[in-house]
């Protein structure tokens, strides 16, 4: 049996990247080393070790007025011994001390843990996936929507556009993702005004598309019609279950792989303007 000490919650550093990546790979998750690095840069990650290796993690990214909780992972052999509860205690007390409302996107297994801790359901997401390029029918894509690379000054303009939609400032995260994979970062304008954007990144299992934010379904379709054919291998996108784009993506050959539940702690209100959020940045980033 593994020996560990649940009181030995410690902050993770760059030296833990290999151990953290091994844990997310063990769970079949899509994060890369760069994703873990981004999470540690934008927020803080914690871990518990046993016999010289990392066996449990959790992270918190402050997005005032929210604190995004992510990467709650416990290695198979160490489960059922209170490690997730202990790490959640750490990140939730940080959220409480900084006056932030804890929010997260839960797997079904995670939801069992968070419900007991006082989180409540606040929305449903589905992960759609496919192998090979997905082609959205151009449908009613309107000629007045201009699609351009998301780079240069457009990045800070997009961060400004995104703020009321997401419900918090995640400009540095969007900038980091857009710079990491410029080929998969697009902005949509109508009459020179920003009306949407989409960003993708390479994962360890698949290319992940998101966030995708758009004023309406036509803008979202125009962005994704341009973006999706650029992805050759496996593709995943986490969409709000009731968004109209879901049906269009399913018609383009994508299928539901699994679901997530958005959860908020306590009495916190809804996060942002969900009607404009087509796809999240991933359960690890919100
Ligand atoms: C979900 C996960 C993090 C739980 O880790 P864990 O260390 O086994 O959880 P804990 O032992 O701290 O359990 C905390 C509580 O949740 C309950 N719980 C944990 N997993 C459960 C499950 N699958 N079904 C029902 N209850 C569960 C425990 O009984 C415990 O209840 P208690 O506080 O009343 O005793 C772990 O199973 C895991 O890593 N799963 C794969 C990755 C994942 O889905 N992570 C969640 C991301 S949102």
């Amino acid at each position: 049996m593994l020996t560990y000490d649940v009181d030995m919650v410690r902050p993770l550093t760059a030296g833990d990247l290999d151990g953290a990546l091994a844990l997310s790979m063990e769970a079949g998750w899509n994060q890369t080393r760069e994703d873990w690095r981004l999470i540690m840069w934008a927020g803080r990650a914690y871990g518990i070790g046993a016999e010289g290796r990392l066996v449990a993690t959790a992270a918190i990214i402050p997005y005032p007025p929210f604190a995004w909780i992510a990467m709650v992972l416990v290695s198979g052999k160490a489960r059922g011994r209170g490690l997730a509860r202990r790490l959640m205690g750490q990140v939730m007390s940080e959220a409480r001390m900084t006056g932030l409302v804890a929010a997260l996107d839960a797997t079904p297994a995670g939801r069992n843990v968070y419900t007991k801790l006082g989180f409540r359901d606040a929305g449903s997401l589905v992960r759609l996936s496919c192998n090979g390029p997905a082609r959205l029918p151009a449908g009613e894509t309107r000629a007045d929507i201009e699609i351009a690379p998301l780079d240069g000054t457009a990045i800070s303009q997009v961060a400004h556009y995104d703020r009321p939609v997401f419900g918090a400032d995640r400009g540095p995260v969007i900038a980091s993702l857009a710079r990491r994979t410029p080929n998969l970062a697009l902005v949509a304008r109508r009459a020179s005004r920003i009306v949407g954007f989409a960003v993708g990144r390479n994962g360890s299992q698949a290319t992940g598309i998101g966030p995708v934010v758009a004023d309406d379904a036509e803008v979202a379709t125009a962005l994704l019609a341009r973006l999706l054919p650029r992805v050759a291998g496996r593709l995943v996108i986490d969409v709000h279950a009731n968004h109209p784009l879901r049906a269009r993506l399913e018609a383009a050959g994508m299928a539901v792989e699994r679901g997530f539940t958005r959860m908020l702690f306590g009495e916190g209100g809804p996060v942002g303007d969900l009607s404009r959020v087509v796809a999240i940045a991933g359960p690890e980033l919100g």
Side-chain angles (χ1 to χ4, degrees):
M1 184 191 275
L2 284 172
T3 53
Y4 55 85
D5 183 348
V6 293
D7 291 327
M8 292 301 287
V9 171
R10 61 177 179 82
L12 300 186
T13 66
D16 293 300
L17 282 170
D18 286 344
L21 184 61
L23 260 187
S24 52
M25 296 289 278
E26 178 193 323
W29 287 7
N30 199 29
Q31 286 78 25
T32 60
R33 220 179 148 77
E34 288 68 34
D35 290 312
W36 272 106
R37 208 191 300 275
L38 172 60
I39 290 162
M40 290 184 197
W41 169 74
R44 288 172 297 282
Y46 294 92
I48 295 174
E51 297 174 0
R53 79 180 178 98
L54 198 58
V55 295
T57 56
I60 177 168
I61 303 175
Y63 291 134
F66 301 101
W68 198 258
I69 306 232
M71 306 313 290
V72 180
L73 275 165
V74 178
S75 180
K77 284 185 184 159
R79 288 183 190 163
R81 296 172 198 171
L83 300 196
R85 191 170 359 98
R86 178 68 188 82
L87 283 158
M88 284 300 291
Q90 171 71 35
V91 291
M92 286 171 71
S93 78
E94 275 196 41
R96 205 166 31 245
M97 280 189 305
T98 46
L100 303 178
V101 176
L104 52 81
D105 288 333
T107 61
R111 186 169 173 272
N112 290 314
V113 177
Y114 311 133
T115 303
K116 289 187 168 182
L117 294 173
F119 282 79
R120 61 190 167 77
D121 295 358
S124 294
L125 297 151
V126 288
R127 170 160 296 184
L128 302 176
S129 67
C130 67
N131 288 312
R135 293 193 188 280
L136 269 186
E140 296 166 20
T141 298
R142 290 171 41 171
D144 62 343
I145 302 168
E146 182 214 335
I147 306 291
L150 173 51
D151 55 17
T153 53
I155 293 180
S156 53
Q157 292 164 356
V158 156
H160 185 72
Y161 166 81
D162 177 71
R163 190 183 175 127
V165 180
F166 183 61
D169 180 7
R170 59 171 170 176
V173 169
I174 293 171
S176 169
L177 296 178
R179 290 190 185 114
R180 195 200 300 180
T181 321
N183 181 45
L184 299 181
L186 296 174
V187 58
R189 292 187 182 84
R190 216 182 238 143
S192 303
R193 199 173 60 83
I194 290 181
V195 288
F197 70 96
V199 179
R201 63 188 186 275
N202 299 321
S204 61
Q205 321 280 325
T207 301
I209 302 296
V212 181
V213 174
D215 277 10
D216 55 47
E218 275 57 56
V219 172
T221 303
L223 282 163
L224 290 173
R226 188 75 70 85
L227 198 56
L228 298 187
R230 297 182 182 187
V231 180
R234 207 170 118 69
L235 171 70
V236 298
I237 180 167
D238 299 327
V239 297
H240 282 283
N242 298 324
H243 197 282
L245 250 285
R246 174 181 172 179
R248 293 192 191 180
L249 289 166
E250 287 178 328
M254 302 198 75
V256 176
E257 186 180 303
R258 57 176 152 135
F260 297 100
T261 306
R262 176 146 300 187
M263 303 184 86
L264 297 174
F265 182 70
E267 297 306 310
V271 182
D273 171 10
L274 288 190
S275 68
R276 284 195 279 165
V277 181
V278 182
I280 62 169
E284 72 275 42
L285 294 174

